[in-house]
Amino acid sequence: ALDKAVDTAKNAVRKDPTLAAAHFILGLALSARGDMEDAKSAFTQCDELSPGFIASRKNWQPYRDPESNRRIKSAFEAVVN
């Protein structure tokens, strides 16, 4: 599932490299997969495209399922902290 998420996010970045949200999602997926250097690079690109985007997602909870939101938060914190 994580490989598919990474591939989907990479495809979105290829289609529109100026889309900060695509870099953000790519960073989360890479982090969850354990690819920390690439995740940091994706987050850096996201923040360069849209300053403050990363900070604004600190408490992002896009899912109804608390466990899914916990995984997102964990992936986020692994890159940001």
Side-chain angles (χ1 to χ4, degrees):
L2 289 176
D3 289 338
K4 181 155 176 72
V6 169
D7 290 344
T8 299
K10 282 183 177 180
N11 189 42
V13 167
R14 274 192 296 276
K15 286 183 179 179
D16 187 352
T18 66
L19 188 60
H23 291 276
F24 177 72
I25 297 300
L26 177 58
L28 288 177
L30 289 165
S31 174
R33 193 169 76 173
D35 298 335
M36 301 315 294
E37 289 304 313
D38 289 339
K40 289 177 185 177
S41 178
F43 269 30
T44 297
Q45 185 65 31
C46 175
D47 225 22
E48 287 175 2
L49 290 167
S50 182
F53 188 97
I54 300 293
S56 74
R57 297 302 189 271
K58 182 178 181 181
N59 294 308
W60 189 47
Q61 296 186 14
Y63 300 110
R64 290 183 188 201
D65 172 39
E67 181 58 24
S68 295
N69 287 323
R70 186 199 61 74
R71 285 193 302 269
I72 292 255
K73 186 169 180 76
S74 178
F76 178 86
E77 290 175 347
V79 178
V80 174
N81 292 331

